[in-house]
Amino acid sequence: MEVAKRKAASTYTTLLLIFLFLFLSFGPSQGQNAAGADAGKTKPAALADDETNLDNTAAEAKIGKPAKAAVVGAANKPAATEDGEADIDDKAAADIAAAKANNNPTTALVAVEDDKPAAAGKAAAAAGKAAAEAADEADGAAAGKAAAAATDDADGAVVKKAKPVKGAVVTTAAPATDVEVIPAPPPPPAELQVCNGVFLTYTLISREKEYPFVKNKSNQAYAFTSQATITNVGDEEVKGWRMYIGFQHREILVSMDGAVPIDAEDFPAAVGNGTTIAGNPMVDLKTAILTANDFTQMSVRVGMKGSQFGLGDGATPMPKTIKLINSGFKCPASSRRGSTMIVCCRKDPKAKALALKKTKYPARGKGDLTISYDVLQAYQTSYYAEVTIQNNHPLGRLDHWNLTWEWQRGEFIYSMKGAFARVKDPSECLYGPAGQYYRDFDFTQVANCEKRPIISDLPSERKDDEKVGKLPWCCRNGTVLSPVMDRNQARSMFQLQVFKIPPDNNRTALTPPMKWKIDGVINPHYKCGPPVRVDPAEYPDPSGLQAIHTAVASWHIVCNMTKPQPQKTRCCVSFSAFYNESAIPCNTCACGGCDGYQQCNAKAPPMLIPPDALLVPFVNRTAKMKAWAKMKHFKIPKRMPCGDNCPVSINWHVNSDYKTGWTARITLFNWERYAFDDWFTALQFHNNSFRDFDEVYSFNGTRIPGLRTVFLQGFKGLNYLVGLTNGSRIGDPHVPGKQQSVLSFKKKHSKKFNIRRDAFPTKVYFNGEECALPPTTPSNGSSRIKSSPISFLAVTIIAFLSFFAMTERLF
């Protein structure tokens, strides 16, 4: 028994010694961990009371060294080290990383190094991993796994090296409730390594709810920032790159860096149907072979900011597609990875090489109407410029055009030739920055001082004026004809002298005006894009030698025709036919002007009218309309429909329909006081009707095959549509100016001719303006009579009884 007690005591003594050994070996580490944990519950001494440093304290808890090493995270603030040296600030580190990343746009994250070297071994890697895990557990503020180099106790210097992680999220310590955090751009994808062409990416960076906050998710606006990259990883240089971004969420771009949209208006620009961007200032992409892999010459990064609508919170709205639209390239469907879209566009082996002229800037764009802004002479404080308006569309036209733009740098127009400014007010110059700089300047002689001047063409009688005339293609009273009518009169030009103000006191400091808009009296609606820098315009040498001289600088503006919005057109069409006694006018308020009307109903459909009512103004048609409705047993509404209020109206009347063809009559009415000289109208038909067009008898007619359009204009001496005149007697309605002609069509290509479908135009233009059409075409007799089995049976019985009665009388 005693021996057993001694053995038990010996065993207890051995266990006690082992326990003491283990306690002495691991006790200090546990103490330090506990100290670090306690430190995580308190604020560092160097921080203010309202600041937190969760990442640092969490890192210290993992590492076991309080306030010795600092990790740069997404929400960190610098903390003082023991020897007084401050760690790298998060924002500064991010700025340095971004600056380094600019050398290689495909790199998502670049390591940031401090000025002082430090050991970076296993302990540093473990410290970085511990810091990332601790920050993740604390508030999710880490942007992935981070590797940080621990500092020694002597100087406390910090060196860190961060590695990107796919899907990493960058947040702040106290994120806003309405800000959606989008995953950061991933590292260069593997497709870049195998792409032999042009590699395109689009990344949605952030998305934030905008005011006003509405309940309808589809109408809620969100501010977004995004980035597109275009990298040439092929073996051929890409000249004048152009990228298409298929926006689809009613996006409105407000700014863009590194490129300009070439098919949209100036900012803010609505690009909900997609837009094409071109490089500015870097327009060409060189190859890695010729630049020794210099990404600054072979790649472009485009930053975008704007607004978009719909999809609600937490969504990631992306474009439909992205692609390179340069000739000779073929792009597959783009692929999406989270908030990033990628596509590799390669050379199309079947594409024919085009002999393109080598240009320094993007090629001049094509459009319905183009405007050139060419600087002819440049001085320190002023320059001379020339503006040329060129009409390219066969149905385009301008009458009494007004051109507006917006100066960007405080410029003002000192003098003009070939045009004039509508307002000549020197007050904006006198009391503005120009008056402070040009103290002894006589601003009463300045042509225009407005930031948004309105410029108009000179009348024809000023063409030979020595002071303001003597320019080619000027002084035509604002008329720019269609190139189908006269190619020489499809252009207009004027010159101006522009003065600048500091800091642009340099002859090379040239900034074109922005926000170009042009409009006419009854002409197409044009939508103009921003000015794009192009190669300088070339002119023949004035000395007569076989040489050319170029402009100092040139910009190109592209404008395209748009369909007028409802109630904003300026002409309307009425339909009538030989087989129906009534005429169908165009919709009420077709040309606007119905706001506040109490006597008529602007929403009521148009009523049928007798054809002779088309000859009188609409205000005098009410009595005829009511009488015709009573005669034909039409319903008369309590409030009569409003008039169309259109200055020009056109009646299309189907005259006849026979076996081998048909005829129609067109009548033009001018309800304005002024006349239209060199007018034209254009009629677009179904394909078979267009091909069957035969002859027009009182006008000059031309086919435009590409548009399926018949172009009509008056003969020489008869191309004048007079204005509205008074009646022959007092009290008579006004008489509109009128011209009329008959057109004949065959039925060679219309084997199944439908008069209601094929005998009426699908679109009608007057001087390039698309007119409003009636809601329907006149119905024929067969469509109004509907037979039924009962009525057919009744007619049969009556006929049989009548025949039987007649036979009874005979016998």
Side-chain angles (χ1 to χ4, degrees), residues 499-619:
F499 271 77
K500 305 179 294 183
I501 62 174
D504 293 341
N505 290 352
N506 191 316
R507 64 178 61 197
T508 60
L510 304 171
T511 304
M514 304 291 286
K515 299 183 180 180
W516 292 69
K517 292 183 180 180
I518 191 167
D519 197 6
V521 178
I522 299 184
N523 296 133
H525 296 258
Y526 289 98
K527 183 178 180 180
C528 299
V532 179
R533 182 76 179 267
V534 295
D535 281 356
E538 298 180 348
Y539 304 92
D541 193 273
S543 63
L545 298 175
Q546 292 185 353
I548 60 171
H549 75 276
T550 63
V552 177
S554 295
W555 286 267
H556 195 66
I557 301 98
V558 176
C559 304
N560 289 309
M561 296 167 54
T562 62
K563 185 176 181 179
Q565 298 178 0
Q567 300 186 3
K568 287 189 177 181
T569 184
R570 288 171 281 193
C571 68
C572 67
V573 179
S574 60
F575 286 157
S576 59
F578 70 92
Y579 55 80
N580 196 308
E581 296 177 339
S582 301
I584 305 176
C586 60
N587 290 327
T588 63
C589 304
C591 298
C594 297
D595 296 336
Y597 274 37
Q598 301 296 330
Q599 297 83 4
C600 61
N601 186 1
K603 297 181 179 180
M607 291 183 61
L608 300 180
I609 58 175
D612 62 323
L614 297 172
L615 298 172
V616 297
F618 198 91
V619 294

Side-chain angles (χ1 to χ4, degrees), residues 18 29 50 103 153 245 440 543 577 611 649 675 695 729 790:
I18 293 173
S29 176
D50 58 345
N103 293 330
D153 296 338
I245 305 176
D440 298 329
S543 63
S649 61
E695 189 63 58
R729 293 177 298 180
I790 298 176

Side-chain angles (χ1 to χ4, degrees), residues 142-208:
K145 296 181 181 180
T151 60
D152 55 350
D153 296 338
D155 54 6
V158 176
V159 177
K160 72 167 189 165
K161 186 174 184 181
K163 294 184 179 180
V165 177
K166 182 177 179 181
V169 180
V170 180
T171 62
T172 59
T177 56
D178 294 327
V179 177
E180 297 180 23
V181 179
I182 306 298
E191 288 82 355
L192 180 65
Q193 310 299 327
V194 297
C195 179
N196 184 13
V198 180
F199 192 75
L200 309 176
T201 69
Y202 177 89
T203 303
L204 182 64
I205 299 175
S206 65
R207 188 167 178 260
E208 179 182 357

Side-chain angles (χ1 to χ4, degrees), residues 475-492:
C475 314
R476 293 175 176 166
N477 203 24
T479 298
V480 180
L481 297 181
S482 163
V484 175
M485 299 178 66
D486 191 340
R487 188 167 295 275
N488 187 46
Q489 297 190 39
R491 181 182 298 181
S492 187

Side-chain angles (χ1 to χ4, degrees), residues 128-148:
K129 183 177 181 180
E133 293 175 355
D136 253 346
E137 294 172 0
D139 60 353
K145 296 181 181 180

Side-chain angles (χ1 to χ4, degrees), residues 330-347:
K330 190 174 182 179
C331 301
S334 55
S335 60
R336 177 177 171 181
R337 295 181 179 179
S339 61
T340 299
M341 296 179 68
I342 61 174
V343 66
C344 177
C345 301
R346 295 179 173 88
K347 293 288 292 184

